[in-house]
Each structure stands twice: as structure tokens, then as C-alpha cells.
Amino acid sequence: MLLDLLHLLTTPAPSAQRRLGYLRDSIWLMSRARRCRRAWAPHLEASRAVMRAAIAGAERRDTAVVLGSGLLLDVPLADLTGAFRRVVLVDAVHLAPARRAIRAFANVEMLTADLSGAMALMTGAARDLDPRLPPVCAEPGTGLVISANLLSQLPIRPVDRLEASRRPLGAWTREDGDAFGRRIVEAHLAALAALRARVCLVTDLDETEEDRQGRVHARHDLLYGVRLGTPDRAWTWELAPFGETAVNRRLTHRVAGFADWRR
């Protein structure tokens, strides 16, 4: 708790990210990653393997962009920096472990950006979603764009805020939660589809809550009905082992990895 508080007080983050809870969410995820590192290890390695395959297949080697770089636990940073002249890490918040990790690489830069397109809407600065990718993704020299375990995360905070609000967000009301979430997912995929660069997509698809006897108590579609096709690789991520959220419950996610999503 004290370590989390220290990160909350000392992490550089725009006021919107602090006010809307993105910084707090990132710190919470970091804490869970630390507690669940053994359970998460196969998922992280599978994610890195898909990204390494994408790196090997990229034709242009000037710039690589990682969307949702997070703590870099699932990102093969050394492989990226060795293969590309420049690596750009994009996320809403960059915590201290990630900032320390890049110090060993002279060709890495960090970019803070809202990838959901919803922050301005949530703060009242816009009237609707404005989903867009950073311009670096579309630069002629960019040969690889990785969406790193991000797609299912983008709607979480905006949908929660919409459904908890008594007032609409633009034209969206609290009854529109599923449609709102789907719009965010579809917008991210549309933005990726418009790029010239090779696109690597790693994303969780759904969440299952089960007990120690393997009985399923709940299942949630994390992509709001959006379907992605057949991945190059699929696996199960034990997100919250028994004892993490409840003694006799665990949460698992199905994950899909596409080394060349538009192939």
C-alpha cells in the first residue's frame, strides 16, 4: 500500500489521467502483476512470442510503435530496439518501472496519449468520442505497430464512468454502456486497419469466473461482441488465481495473438 501511494504521488501524469482514474488503475495493475507474477508468466511469454514473430516479419525497420506499452512486461523491448532505429512506447500513463527499463536503450521514447478517444468526452471537453492513433503510427518510416493487450482495456474506464453517471456523456446515456464499449473497440480496430505498417494485435477476448471444481459462474465478452477471426496463437491467461479476488474463485481470460493482423 505504501509503495502504491508513493507511485501515486510521484508518477508524472497529466491531470486528466489522474482525475479519471487512469493513474490509479495502472498502479493497481502493477501491484497485481507483482503478486501474480508466477501465474502471469505463461501469458507474458506468449505475448512476447507473437510480437517477436511480428518483428521478424516487418519489412520497414525505421520505427516501431507499441500501443499500450504499460509496464513492458509483455513487450520484448530488447528485440524491438535491436530491429528498429526508433521505438515509440505509447500509453495513458508511464510508471516508474517502465521509465527505468528504457534507460538502457538510446533509441526508445515515450509518448503519453489517450488511445480510447474518450478522455475529452469524459472531462466535458468534447461532445463525442474522438478515437485516433498518434501521428507516428502513420509516418512513412513506421514498419510495425503493436497493440499490446490493449483492446479490451480501452472501454473499461469510459464504460464504467458512463454507467455510473446520472448525466449523459455527450449523446451517450448510462443505458448505452454496451454500445459505447463496442464503439471504442471498433474504432481502435478501424484505426489500426487504416495503417500502412504491419499491425501486431494481442488482446484478451473474454473473462471467465470459475470455482475450484471448474464450474463457470460468470463469463464476460470483453470486446462487446466484436469478432476478430482466427489468430496465429491463442492461450488462456490466469489473470487472478485463487485467493487473489476470492478464496474459491479465479478469473481467466482467453487471449488471441496476431503477428500480422490484416494478413
Side-chain angles (χ1 to χ4, degrees), residues 95-138:
L95 295 180
R99 293 177 182 274
R100 287 195 297 269
I102 72 169
R103 291 175 186 169
F105 306 101
N107 59 336
V108 179
E109 57 192 79
M110 286 181 160
L111 176 63
T112 300
D114 167 30
L115 296 170
S116 71
M119 281 193 193
L121 176 61
M122 289 189 285
T123 60
R127 300 191 64 178
D128 202 351
L129 293 168
D130 185 22
R132 63 180 69 186
L133 299 180
V136 64
C137 295

Side-chain angles (χ1 to χ4, degrees), residues 98-261:
R99 293 177 182 274
R100 287 195 297 269
I102 72 169
R103 291 175 186 169
F105 306 101
N107 59 336
V108 179
E109 57 192 79
M110 286 181 160
L111 176 63
T112 300
D114 167 30
L115 296 170
S116 71
M119 281 193 193
L121 176 61
M122 289 189 285
T123 60
R127 300 191 64 178
D128 202 351
L129 293 168
D130 185 22
R132 63 180 69 186
L133 299 180
V136 64
C137 295
E139 289 179 359
T142 298
L144 177 63
V145 175
I146 300 174
S147 179
N149 287 292
L150 170 71
L151 184 61
S152 68
Q153 303 300 308
L154 293 176
I156 292 176
R157 178 59 63 173
V159 170
D160 284 351
R161 190 173 183 88
L162 175 66
E163 293 182 337
S165 177
R166 295 182 179 180
R167 291 189 292 182
L169 294 180
W172 302 91
T173 69
R174 60 194 308 177
E175 289 77 25
D176 297 326
D178 287 350
F180 191 57
R182 185 181 179 100
R183 168 80 178 276
I184 293 172
V185 170
E186 290 177 334
H188 184 68
L189 293 174
L192 293 175
L195 298 175
R196 292 179 59 237
R198 183 187 184 107
V199 173
C200 172
L201 176 65
V202 180
T203 181
D204 12 17
L205 304 173
D206 57 42
E207 178 179 272
T208 299
E209 179 185 348
E210 62 182 13
D211 62 24
R212 291 183 182 272
Q213 287 70 47
R215 293 187 294 260
V216 173
H217 292 262
R219 182 172 284 119
H220 304 286
D221 182 351
L222 301 176
L223 301 186
Y224 295 90
V226 175
R227 298 293 176 255
L228 297 177
T230 304
D232 298 312
R233 184 168 180 173
W235 62 93
T236 298
W237 174 16
E238 190 175 21
L239 177 73
F242 294 113
E244 172 64 19
T245 59
V247 173
N248 294 312
R249 294 284 194 275
R250 72 170 180 170
L251 300 177
T252 61
H253 286 193
R254 283 194 310 129
V255 185
F258 302 80
D260 187 358
W261 174 55

Side-chain angles (χ1 to χ4, degrees), residues 51-64:
M51 294 176 199
R52 288 189 180 106
I55 293 167
E59 296 180 0
R60 296 191 299 279
R61 295 297 180 119
D62 185 76
T63 300

